[in-house]
Amino acid sequence: RFSISLPRAHKVEKLQTAVSDTLPAECSLRVVLVDDDPRITASLSEVLVEWGVDVYAYNRLDEAQAELAALSVMTPDLLISDGQLADGHTANEVFQRLGALYATAIPTLLLSGMSNADAVIQADATLLKPVSAEALKRQILALCPPADG
């Protein structure tokens, strides 16, 4: 017989961050997020939604490509991807295949646990996992600055 004892965890009611709860009001962003880990996709989506971002989250590239191709009226403001997906696809493929769906270039953000990922993945910016909410927000604002009112 095998057993494991773990300390009891407490549910986090609201993400506590040192950054403001939303992006600037003039930022109305649509972000496509692709990460094969459902926990990462869910937690990043939660943070982005709290900031007022419209999030299109996927765990597989093929699923993202099929669904986004059907949403022809929606053009994202940012593509975010994990460096290496479990199905063998890389962020390069995510950015190329999803970017090809749109007439304009879409900024890309790589999230990776590999310290040398930016040497093999073509992205406009790279953040190493684990990613802090503050670093994520800074990078999103750098890639998608608010429109001048």
Side-chain angles (χ1 to χ4, degrees):
R1 184 173 165 191
F2 182 78
S3 67
I4 296 177
S5 297
L6 298 173
R8 190 175 186 110
H10 301 303
K11 179 180 177 188
V12 177
E13 294 299 324
K14 183 174 181 192
L15 180 68
Q16 300 295 319
T17 65
V19 293
S20 66
D21 290 340
T22 61
L23 292 172
E26 59 275 15
C27 287
S28 176
L29 298 178
R30 292 171 303 274
V31 172
V32 172
L33 170 63
V34 182
D35 194 304
D36 58 335
D37 186 334
R39 296 169 300 175
I40 291 174
T41 306
S43 62
L44 282 176
S45 294
E46 181 181 337
V47 169
L48 292 169
V49 167
E50 283 184 17
W51 291 345
V53 174
D54 290 333
V55 180
Y56 300 81
Y58 304 94
N59 297 118
R60 295 173 11 113
L61 173 56
D62 294 335
E63 175 189 16
Q65 187 174 18
E67 189 170 308
L68 292 170
L71 294 174
S72 60
V73 297
M74 191 283 291
T75 300
D77 299 295
L78 179 64
L79 300 175
I80 301 176
S81 180
D82 182 20
Q84 182 68 48
L85 303 176
D87 59 6
H89 295 295
T90 66
N92 280 334
E93 293 170 280
V94 171
F95 298 148
Q96 289 168 357
R97 287 174 51 184
L98 297 185
L101 297 173
Y102 307 102
T104 61
I106 310 297
T108 56
L109 174 58
L110 169 66
L111 304 180
S112 180
M114 302 182 314
S115 60
N116 68 338
D118 55 354
V120 293
I121 304 289
Q122 300 282 324
D124 294 314
T126 301
L127 290 175
L128 293 178
K129 292 179 181 178
V131 176
S132 73
E134 183 175 335
L136 180 62
K137 183 177 275 188
R138 253 194 328 268
Q139 197 59 69
I140 288 172
L141 289 173
L143 291 169
C144 306
D148 292 332

